[in-house]
Amino acid sequence: MDDILMSAKIGEGRSVHIATLSRQTIVDSGAEHLGFSGYFVFEASDLPGNGGIDVLGKAQSFEAALRLADIIAAGLRTTFVHESDDAFIACCHAD
């Protein structure tokens, strides 16, 4: 991950991210049909036997990536409002 806009744990050893990815990571994940630049939405797992990432999609633009990060973060804040150590949300953007 080169430029990370958002990372959030979503439970069961999984996390979701919005970030740029290296060319090799995109190829390794089978997402080369999406191109090699821009911000990708992907899931990662810390569980044994689930190495690598699953690319879920790609944001149309930097602005779209920021909006998506805000939407996901808002949804996770409401989902994990009663959780403490099991959830984190890191979202960064320029205002």
Side-chain angles (χ1 to χ4, degrees):
M1 293 184 284
D2 297 331
D3 188 14
I4 304 167
L5 289 182
M6 189 223 52
S7 292
K9 288 186 179 180
I10 55 175
E12 299 178 14
R14 298 176 306 141
S15 56
V16 65
H17 309 274
I18 300 175
T20 58
L21 296 171
S22 72
R23 182 179 192 88
Q24 190 59 51
T25 300
I26 295 167
V27 170
D28 291 346
S29 68
E32 58 270 14
H33 62 284
L34 295 174
F36 297 101
S37 63
Y39 288 86
F40 294 82
V41 180
F42 58 96
E43 181 182 39
S45 175
D46 296 335
L47 299 176
N50 288 340
I53 64 169
D54 290 319
V55 174
L56 305 173
K58 183 177 174 182
Q60 180 66 24
S61 64
F62 177 71
E63 291 77 18
L66 290 176
R67 289 179 59 199
L68 186 56
D70 286 341
I71 290 166
I72 292 171
L76 289 173
R77 276 192 295 272
T78 59
T79 300
F80 291 115
V81 71
H82 298 293
E83 301 287 335
S84 57
D85 295 332
D86 292 340
F88 80 90
I89 302 168
C91 183
C92 307
H93 59 81
D95 289 316

